[in-house]
Amino acid sequence: MSLPPEKASELKQIIHNHLLKMDIHGKIREVLAETVRDDQGPARRSLSEADFLRALQRRGIIDDMMKDLHFTQEAGTEAETGSPTKPAAHFVDKDITHLKKTNIDPSRRCLYLQVLGGKAFLEHLQEPDPLPGQVCSTFTLYLHFRNQRFRSKPVPCACEPDLNEGFLLEIHRDGIGESGKMADATSMLSMCDPVHFVLIKTDTSSKTMLVSSYFLDWRTVLSSPSSKTCFAVELMGVGSESKVPAGVLTVSLELYPPLPEILSADIISTQQSLERQRAAEKERLFLVYAKQWWREFLEIRPSNQTKLVKIFAQDENGVNRPVCSYVRVLRAGRLLESPRQAARFVSLLAHEKAPVVGGGGKQEQWCTLMAFLCRGKGDCEDHATLLCSLQLGFGMDAYVCVGTKAKGVPHAWVLTRGTDGSITFWESLTAHRYLHRPIDPDAPPLAPQPKPSYPYRTVGCVFNHQTFLANCQPSDAVELCVFDFQNQSRWKAMSEEALKSVCAPGSTTSLPPLPPLCSPSLDPAAASNQLELEMRYLVSEHRKDLDLATVWDDHLSYLLSSALSAYELERCTGVSCGNEEFQDAVRRAVPDGHTFKGFPIHFLHRNARRAFATCLRSPFCEEIVCCRGDHVRLAVRVRVFVYPENACAVWIMFACKYRSVL
């Protein structure tokens, strides 16, 4: 490829400036002096250019120079210069995040973490290499470290996945630590915050699966020469497979700027050992207290044995932790505006029970918040703990309730107490709210009693980040419960000091750090347009199979927008509005003697084929899509409402109008 003369001279100038900045001449002089000195022996020979280049390569100077030399290219140039040299990608990354260049502040300490590939992902040993352009399953690696979150590019699943990424982690970030001061080795040694790795597999139908959740102690780099180290990390599976290796990642760590003096490996291992011992002792003391508390609770009345009182829960790595540690005060910044919007956001994260191999009932697995957010779905307990954390962030008196629904199915939901003593239940899977009015069992038989509208049957315990209360009322039926938490004859509380010793942030090193919510990277308008085009294509193809022509009415499609917007607003606020304008607009758009039919439906994903297959299962939708008649006009409108973590509320409305023939 030839360059015009002005471009060639510009390129030479860039390279020249870069070499000057690296002090390349000084480095060459050092290598030259060293090479000449080594050659001053009895078998002295003349120094060739090849010998000198080998010496430069051996010292890593050429590699450093090429690594630092970046040429930016504007988006879209690949299409202009012809086809790329690599084959087409084997996957579609719908959540494209545009990388931004960042300036490194030399006065702040940073940790550069590189993932240099994966191996031994034996589950994918037999998978053939995907053909160019073929859609396949992908791995995506997510990281969290001291209030910073990162995401790798998706790569095709393989026994040796091509996970090659670099992440620049700030040691001091957002008020954590002394931000005005460079972190030295001693202060970094006391930072026990791990780097949390979460590996997610996404299949061809966009379904996600948690592969591994791993906490990396990065402090080994403090004892490494040149503040640089490289090692293999064995990722374990999750849930029932938490003792089975999932695969291995090669990880490189480098501190920038390097430490002037490194610590000895003994100091680091001693610090880690002390932290583990301290955490183990706190957990042991809490366990002793919890056993004593449980014995006292059972002595109150024998029926307490059957109540659903959940003190500990296993996370995705099979680690038993107090349930209070799953709830923290979580503020969403400007990403969520109100408690009701927070409830809507949580309800958009899909509900899925922990997968279990074979029968034997439900596999219990509560997830760390990072794993839940990266996976984008979880069980009712994950939803309830996240919603409770967000409600606490909005200043509400919120608790997670553990109990049962109809047919004795275990369930978790959220309860908030008003200053006037009112009790509101929040269903985290649907964002529905229910006001609780207890039935008075001592009231006269004919006295009017409130009829419960909520689906909950029993409640065994309630908890948040600093309170745990077990229900010791004669009956655990929700409709009879009085949620007066100060009354010790109704609710038995655990010691707040005991809970704080193992559940407060920073109380033990075994507690996973709380990640911040990420703002959405999806463009809602572009996502809506793309999905609408795909739905139009699927409708046209379906009608073609039935030997039916398809004529679209763009104006009618546009009118459906206001209805979809009103539906989402109602889900968010609980208030219905805008329906009158939509009905009036439709009456104007549908001529006399014509019939209008509409069918709205809501999804949590953006997979067009899955959505269309679901729509066709409804007889109302099928009637519209397969409409026959005189002067049939079809319309479809898609609205994608985007929330934090790229959680999506996808509304699709199919409609048709046709001349009524008697």
Side-chain angles (χ1 to χ4, degrees):
M1 184 181 73
S2 59
L3 283 173
E6 65 275 9
K7 286 284 182 188
S9 60
E10 184 183 329
L11 185 62
K12 284 177 185 174
Q13 188 61 44
I14 289 170
I15 294 170
H16 178 68
N17 292 342
H18 180 72
L19 295 177
L20 283 177
K21 195 166 77 176
M22 280 184 66
D23 188 25
I24 194 70
H25 297 105
K27 289 180 181 177
I28 288 173
R29 274 195 292 272
E30 282 175 28
V31 175
L32 188 59
E34 184 181 308
T35 312
V36 169
R37 199 165 51 247
D38 290 347
D39 278 357
Q40 298 283 339
R44 185 176 171 182
R45 58 187 176 83
S46 59
L47 186 66
S48 69
E49 188 179 326
D51 293 334
F52 185 56
L53 278 172
R54 271 197 297 276
L56 286 174
Q57 243 169 345
R58 204 164 49 242
R59 286 280 294 267
I61 288 171
I62 292 175
D63 288 343
D64 288 347
M65 183 180 71
M66 295 308 293
K67 189 168 70 178
D68 294 340
L69 195 61
H70 295 296
F71 297 97
T72 54
Q73 183 175 322
E74 289 187 21
T77 53
E78 188 175 83
E80 295 161 20
T81 55
S83 60
T85 52
K86 286 188 176 183
H90 306 316
F91 55 88
V92 181
D93 184 11
K94 293 184 178 177
D95 304 337
I96 296 167
T97 306
H98 297 288
L99 298 177
K100 294 176 185 173
K101 282 196 168 184
T102 181
N103 294 320
I104 299 173
D105 184 351
S107 66
R108 305 280 287 274
R109 188 85 66 191
C110 292
L111 177 68
Y112 185 51
L113 186 152
Q114 282 179 289
V115 179
L116 304 172
K119 56 189 175 187
F121 285 83
L122 301 180
E123 195 175 319
H124 303 278
L125 188 61
Q126 302 299 326
E127 283 191 16
D129 288 337
L131 299 169
Q134 179 186 345
V135 176
C136 71
S137 300
T138 61
F139 281 139
T140 309
L141 184 66
Y142 295 83
L143 264 68
H144 169 229
F145 177 69
R146 290 174 78 84
N147 225 29
Q148 304 156 78
R149 285 180 58 187
F150 302 88
R151 167 182 174 269
S152 75
K153 295 190 293 289
V155 299
C157 291
C159 183
E160 296 188 356
D162 187 27
L163 280 162
N164 277 286
E165 292 279 347
F167 308 97
L168 191 67
L169 318 177
E170 285 186 34
I171 303 290
H172 283 152
R173 171 83 176 190
D174 295 343
I176 301 175
E178 302 171 59
S179 54
K181 186 180 169 187
M182 171 80 80
D184 58 12
T186 311
S187 62
M188 284 191 287
L189 182 63
S190 64
M191 295 177 188
C192 52
D193 307 68
V195 181
H196 191 179
F197 285 60
V198 174
L199 186 64
I200 299 290
K201 177 183 174 181
T202 309
D203 69 13
T204 51
S205 60
S206 306
K207 289 181 180 174
T208 55
M209 187 182 89
L210 179 61
V211 177
S212 183
S213 172
Y214 180 82
F215 295 94
L216 172 72
D217 193 331
W218 54 277
R219 290 174 293 180
T220 50
V221 75
L222 301 177
S223 65
S224 306
S226 311
S227 299
K228 194 187 233 181
T229 184
C230 186
F231 49 88
V233 167
E234 185 177 45
L235 301 180
M236 306 304 281
V238 293
S240 57
E241 298 175 24
S242 58
K243 301 287 186 286
V244 181
V248 176
L249 291 181
T250 305
V251 173
S252 161
L253 298 175
E254 182 178 1
L255 276 177
Y256 179 84
L259 289 171
E261 288 184 18
I262 62 170
L263 300 175
S264 79
D266 290 344
I267 291 175
I268 294 169
S269 60
T270 304
Q271 173 73 14
Q272 292 168 335
S273 177
L274 282 170
E275 287 170 358
R276 281 194 296 271
Q277 286 170 16
R278 202 176 299 134
E281 180 61 14
K282 284 184 177 181
E283 287 162 7
R284 186 189 68 80
L285 290 172
F286 180 76
L287 183 59
V288 169
Y289 167 76
K291 284 179 176 177
Q292 175 63 30
W293 180 92
W294 178 245
R295 278 195 295 271
E296 292 170 4
F297 178 66
L298 293 182
E299 286 168 6
I300 295 171
R301 57 171 54 88
S303 61
N304 284 353
Q305 179 75 51
T306 59
K307 290 179 181 175
L308 207 55
V309 179
K310 187 89 179 152
I311 303 172
F312 295 93
Q314 275 195 1
D315 67 11
E316 68 268 20
N317 291 324
V319 178
N320 259 322
R321 293 198 281 120
V323 290
C324 295
S325 68
Y326 289 87
V327 178
R328 308 274 187 91
V329 178
L330 179 59
R331 295 182 181 88
R334 298 193 183 276
L335 299 179
L336 295 168
E337 303 294 338
S338 69
R340 293 194 187 189
Q341 195 181 27
R344 177 61 175 153
F345 156 63
V346 174
S347 72
L348 294 174
L349 299 168
H351 176 222
E352 183 180 275
K353 296 184 186 299
V356 60
V357 179
K362 181 189 172 187
Q363 166 81 25
E364 167 128 325
Q365 177 186 303
W366 294 33
C367 270
T368 57
L369 180 55
M370 180 69 179
F372 177 39
L373 293 175
C374 295
R375 186 175 164 223
K377 60 185 177 185
D379 212 338
C380 59
E381 295 89 358
D382 304 322
H383 287 79
T385 51
L386 173 56
L387 179 57
C388 184
S389 300
L390 288 166
Q391 304 288 40
L392 289 167
F394 279 111
M396 301 183 75
D397 189 18
Y399 302 82
V400 175
C401 297
V402 177
T404 60
K405 289 199 298 185
K407 298 181 182 174
V409 176
H411 192 62
W413 66 97
V414 175
L415 171 154
T416 54
R417 296 197 308 163
T419 50
D420 58 353
S422 61
I423 300 294
T424 305
F425 294 145
W426 301 68
E427 178 46 66
S428 56
L429 299 178
T430 61
H432 291 163
R433 298 162 67 249
Y434 308 98
L435 203 61
H436 171 66
R437 293 189 185 90
I439 292 171
D440 182 5
D442 301 325
L446 296 178
Q449 295 276 22
K451 192 176 179 184
S453 58
Y454 42 78
Y456 317 120
R457 293 291 173 266
T458 66
V459 57
C461 63
V462 300
F463 65 89
N464 61 18
H465 61 306
Q466 56 191 17
T467 308
F468 185 92
L469 298 144
N471 183 1
C472 51
Q473 297 169 64
S475 169
D476 61 355
V478 177
E479 57 193 18
L480 299 174
C481 269
V482 177
F483 291 92
D484 176 11
F485 296 150
Q486 277 67 46
N487 189 333
Q488 294 181 11
S489 66
R490 297 180 188 275
W491 296 91
K492 180 169 173 59
M494 269 194 173
S495 157
E496 286 197 10
E497 285 302 313
L499 289 168
K500 202 180 288 182
S501 70
V502 288
C503 298
S507 57
T508 69
T509 51
S510 57
L511 275 186
L514 183 73
L517 292 183
C518 278
S519 56
S521 59
L522 273 178
D523 178 355
S528 301
N529 286 339
Q530 177 64 29
L531 190 51
E532 189 171 308
L533 286 171
E534 291 174 16
M535 295 309 289
R536 281 197 175 204
Y537 171 77
L538 292 170
V539 170
S540 300
E541 289 297 303
H542 186 74
R543 287 177 64 83
K544 195 185 288 181
D545 292 342
L546 300 172
D547 292 327
L548 296 172
T550 306
V551 183
W552 294 103
D553 186 331
D554 291 336
H555 177 60
L556 185 60
S557 295
Y558 179 70
L559 297 185
L560 304 179
S561 287
S562 62
L564 299 182
S565 182
Y567 298 150
E568 181 59 23
L569 191 63
E570 185 178 358
R571 291 285 179 100
C572 248
T573 62
V575 179
S576 178
C577 63
N579 205 32
E580 302 82 6
E581 293 90 341
F582 168 64
Q583 290 177 358
D584 188 60
V586 167
R587 286 192 191 99
R588 291 174 186 279
V590 178
D592 289 341
H594 282 63
T595 299
F596 170 83
K597 288 181 181 177
F599 175 78
I601 190 167
H602 175 250
F603 293 99
L604 303 183
H605 62 81
R606 293 177 289 122
N607 188 299
R609 290 193 180 276
R610 265 171 67 197
F612 188 60
T614 306
C615 292
L616 287 181
R617 290 192 203 114
S618 164
F620 301 107
C621 183
E622 192 187 23
E623 196 178 311
I624 292 169
V625 171
C626 308
C627 181
R628 298 171 183 267
D630 184 24
H631 208 72
V632 175
R633 296 290 180 268
L634 291 168
V636 64
R637 191 65 168 172
V638 175
R639 283 293 306 274
V640 176
F641 297 89
V642 181
Y643 287 81
E645 302 293 329
N646 282 341
C648 292
V650 178
W651 285 95
I652 302 174
M653 191 166 186
F654 296 93
C656 68
K657 63 177 185 180
Y658 58 92
R659 183 177 290 143
S660 306
V661 180
L662 297 175

